[in-house]
């Protein structure tokens, strides 16, 4: 007779909980600073992503596919956006993700233990944890009475096991060992993996045992059950390696019970198979193994195996054993072997943890909200490529301009082509007039003077921006160092020096750029001063320009000379060379190649992107033909300029034979050189003005990054200070209430040494109502003074270096000690010794912190204040020998009936 085991109650992994956080501002800032995008559609997607997180991780989720899809959508979006907007402390969106421990309950005066890390990978693993946990819950809620329900449960259990394996292999590199919450410990995650695989194997056994065809294959059923028993054994061992926890301990016990249950199932089916094979000795031996285990389970399995009827199975096993023994005794007489000599039952491993593929999308219909943004890896590769391209372009343009400057210098020194046009010796050369008209049309020297005046202002503005960025980083680092020194090991966050290192490196780079720009400004100003005379002459009207150029003797006979014709042709070749270079420079500047698609393809195919292996080849393909043209132009220039110098020397000899014109040529040379410098300075100053404008935008972005980092660190600091304060309050409140405080014990000893005078008997009075703290008006009548009593002689004054065992004299205060809960609200230290008690004692309104006037506490203006030795609660105890009770006076309200008895001593919570 076959016994079909009903599925037992499965273990559900609890979900982690998180709190709502601000994702919008850090993401918008990073996208603006990094990608330079601020369009409304993109910002709308940022807000939608924040809402997606809120619905997925902060709101309660039921055990349904809808809730699982909600987690799927947020996980896929988080995985996609993290490649474009990384959530990290340095060079990323600074967001701290808080996650509570799912295995720990809230403690007194403190919240549930949690872990907050500024790392998107930590957020992803925690969301993945909840996906695996919800899979375990949905699998447990499936209809396990049907084959489809068992398939669904086994599917979710195996996927959940793969997820917890994936998290276990990565959580240590993200969160470390010291700060891990209990549910993220590798031992716990491994236990979750083991029990998920075991429960999946149990589903397969339930399905197989309910199949009529499989009932005929009892040896196979025994193997499946033995594998389930083995997996539950491994799960129990895994739970035994975790830290003690109520739910984990329960699960370990349940795993041990299920291990025994499936061992019984395996032995039962193997015994039946042996019985069918006429191996009655083995069959009886296996029945005898089952019997004691089932007896034990029948007593203790009710809480762990609610759907398993151990007594019923025991009855069936005993009945089958007796029938086998009867047949064996009367017919077969088969030898009954010892249980230790039986061949172990083989295991059929059907359930396995399904490996989690991080590159696959979990949601069926995934749409990337941030498709307009390329992955940050691709973005960085494009920036590196663009930097290489700009460097190459600037290097080639610099080659062209250097050669043009060399040509212009040689031609100006030779007064060409003006010397060829000045053959008559009386008129201003046409080339000089054309240069003059060009300069006048551009505004003369006024634009240059204005730009030279604006450059220092732009330089100073950029220097101020950079200085301010460094200043706020220094202030944040100083604050962090002060708190780290104050709290020591309790101040557990990354030091500012490590966190701000990339920003400081960027600031140092900009500082070097500013210094180089300052040197370039000085060079430009020097060149302008050297050529100011020639530029000023070119700015003159034509009549004044003619008068400014000295006249010379005519040399008209040289107009058709062979040397003059050759020199004129060479000058035309020089002008052609310069025009060709203008075209080359334009082509080099405008040549572009978008490598976005190529980089994305390489990243998708290889998983990594090495920009250094791709960019040089692409740059050579685009720019090598243009670079060859520049090199060929430089080679032609050498030949042309050599011929120009030779022909110019011959022309000079011919002119000397016709008469001296030195002064005229000097003026014309200055004007020609001034024109060349004017063109050069105009271009450089415009580039400098644009350079400072672009640098201002970069420095504003740097300042924004620094401000965002400091703001995030400030928020993190406040939260950490809050947690430290809660821990201090929790430890203070959890102290044993029956323990007598040290200051009371010291007071009792002091009271024995300084015996007070005897007190007369006091009449019985009704208990007085405690007075509320009320300010005493200036015109209020003075309360009745208590009867005088003989007091011990006052102790001598105690200095700051006096032993702590000596009570201070009235009016003397020990040095100020900072309370353990974080200091005073004001940054300025008190001018007088700090005392948390008002000068007038309890209930006084004369300064200090207002305290309620408890029964038995005087409100005397002259009462001695308490010292400031701080007890664990943060407030000072009374000095040794000080009695908080009023002088002996019959009828004093609230006075205790028995001397030495003290009213309740209440410490109000410290005020931040």
């Amino acid at each position: 007779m076959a016994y079909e085991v009903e599925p037992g109650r499965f273990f559900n992994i609890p979900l982690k909980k998180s709190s709502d956080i601000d994702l919008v501002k850090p993401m918008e800032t990073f996208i603006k600073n990094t990608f330079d995008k601020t369009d409304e559609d993109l910002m709308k997607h940022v807000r939608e992503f924040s809402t997606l997180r809120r619905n997925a991780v902060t709101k309660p989720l039921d055990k349904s596919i809808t809730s699982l899809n909600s987690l799927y959508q947020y996980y896929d979006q988080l995985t996609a956006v993290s490649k474009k907007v990384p959530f990290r402390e340095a060079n990323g969106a600074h967001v701290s993700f808080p996650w509570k421990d799912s295995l720990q309950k809230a403690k007194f005066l403190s919240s549930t233990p949690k872990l907050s890390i500024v790392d998107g990978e930590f957020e992803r693993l925690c969301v993945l944890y909840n996906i695996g946990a919800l899979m375990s819950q949905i699998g447990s809620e499936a209809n396990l009475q049907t084959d489809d329900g068992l398939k669904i449960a086994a599917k979710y259990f195996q996927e959940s096991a793969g997820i917890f394996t994936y998290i276990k292999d990565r959580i240590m590199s993200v969160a470390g060992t010291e700060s891990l919450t209990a549910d993220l410990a590798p031992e716990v995650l491994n236990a979750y993996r083991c029990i998920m695989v075991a429960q999946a194997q149990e589903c397969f056994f339930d399905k197989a045992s309910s199949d009529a065809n499989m009932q005929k294959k009892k040896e196979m059923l025994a193997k499946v059950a033995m594998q389930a028993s083995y997996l539950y054994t491994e799960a129990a061992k895994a739970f035994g390696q975790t830290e003690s926890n109520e739910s984990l301990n329960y699960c370990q016990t349940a795993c041990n019970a299920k291990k025994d249950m499936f061992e019984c199932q395996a032995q039962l089916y193997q015994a039946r198979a042996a019985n069918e094979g006429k191996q009655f000795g083995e069959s009886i031996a296996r029945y005898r193994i089952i019997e004691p285990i089932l007896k034990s389970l029948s007593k203790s399995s009710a809480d762990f195996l609610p759907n398993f009827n151990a007594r019923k199975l025991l009855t069936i096993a005993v009945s089958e054993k007796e029938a086998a023994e009867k047949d064996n005794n009367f017919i077969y007489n088969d030898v009954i072997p010892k249980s230790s000599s039986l061949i172990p039952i083989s295991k059929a491993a059907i359930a396995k943890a399904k490996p989690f593929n991080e590159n696959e999308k979990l949601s069926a219909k995934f749409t990337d909200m941030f498709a307009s943004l390329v992955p940050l890896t691709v973005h960085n590769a494009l920036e590196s490529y663009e930097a290489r391209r700009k460097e190459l372009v600037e290097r080639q343009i610099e080659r062209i301009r250097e050669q043009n400057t060399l040509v212009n210098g040689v031609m100006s020194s030779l007064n060409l082509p003006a010397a060829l046009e000045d053959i008559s010796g009386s008129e201003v050369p046409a080339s000089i007039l054309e240069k003059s008209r060009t300069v006048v049309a551009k505004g003369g020297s006024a634009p240059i003077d204005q730009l030279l005046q604006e450059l220092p202002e732009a330089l100073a503005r950029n220097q101020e921006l950079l200085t301010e960025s460094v200043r706020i980083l220094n202030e944040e680092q100083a604050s962090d160092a002060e708190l780290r020194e104050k709290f020591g090991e309790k101040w557990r966050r990354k030091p500012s020096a490590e966190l701000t290192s990339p920003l400081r490196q960027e600031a140092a780079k900009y500082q070097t750029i500013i210094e180089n720009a300052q040197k370039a400004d000085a060079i430009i100003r020097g060149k302008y001063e050297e050529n100011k005379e020639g530029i000023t002459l070119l700015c003159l009207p034509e009549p004044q320009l003619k008068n400014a150029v000295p006249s010379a003797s005519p040399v008209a006979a040289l107009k058709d000379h062979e040397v003059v014709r050759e020199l004129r042709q060479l000058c035309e070749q020089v002008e052609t060379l310069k025009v060709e270079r203008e075209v080359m420079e334009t082509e080099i500047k405008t040549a572009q190649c978008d490598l976005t698609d190529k980089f994305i393809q390489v990243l998708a195919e290889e998983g990594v992107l090495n920009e250094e292996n791709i960019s040089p080849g692409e740059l050579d393909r685009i720019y090598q033909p243009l670079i060859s043209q520049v090199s060929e132009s430089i080679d032609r220039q050498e030949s042309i300029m050599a011929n120009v110098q030779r022909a110019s020397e011959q022309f000079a000899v011919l002119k000397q034979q016709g008469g001296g014109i030195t002064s005229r040529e000097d003026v014309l040379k200055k004007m020609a050189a001034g024109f060349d410098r004017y063109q050069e300075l105009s271009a450089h100053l415009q580039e400098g003005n644009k350079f400072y404008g672009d640098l201002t935008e970069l420095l504003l972005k740097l300042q924004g990054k620094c401000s965002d980092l400091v703001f995030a660190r400030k928020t993190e600091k406040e939260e950490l200070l809050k947690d430290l304060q809660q821990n201090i309050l929790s430890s203070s409140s959890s102290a044993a209430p029956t323990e007598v405080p040290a200051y009371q014990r010291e007071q009792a000893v002091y009271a024995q040494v300084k015996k007070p005078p005897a007190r007369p008997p006091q009449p019985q009075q009704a208990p007085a109502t405690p007075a509320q703290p009320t300010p005493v008006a200036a015109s209020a009548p003075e309360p009745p003074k208590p009867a005088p009593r003989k007091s011990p002689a006052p102790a001598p004054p105690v200095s700051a270096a006096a032993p702590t065992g000596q009570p201070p004299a009235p009016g003397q205060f020990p040095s100020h000690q900072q309370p353990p809960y974080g200091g005073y609200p004001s940054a300025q230290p008190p001018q007088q010794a700090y005392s948390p008690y008002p000068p007038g004692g309890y209930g006084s309104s004369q300064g200090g912190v207002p305290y309620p006037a408890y029964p038995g506490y005087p409100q005397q203006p002259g009462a001695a204040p308490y010292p400031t030795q701080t007890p664990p609660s943060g407030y000072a105890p009374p000095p040794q020998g000080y009695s908080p009770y009023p002088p002996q006076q019959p009828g004093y309200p609230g006075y205790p009936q028995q001397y030495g008895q003290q009213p309740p001593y209440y410490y109000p919570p410290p005020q931040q």
Side-chain angles (χ1 to χ4, degrees), residues 748-759:
V749 175
Y750 186 78
Q752 291 179 4
V753 177
K754 304 285 186 176
K755 293 184 179 180
R759 300 174 182 267

Side-chain angles (χ1 to χ4, degrees), residues 468 470-481 504 710:
E468 176 63 16
V470 176
R471 184 192 66 80
I472 61 178
L473 291 180
N474 291 339
E475 286 186 355
E476 197 283 329
Q477 182 172 344
S479 174
D480 181 70
R504 291 186 182 276
V710 170

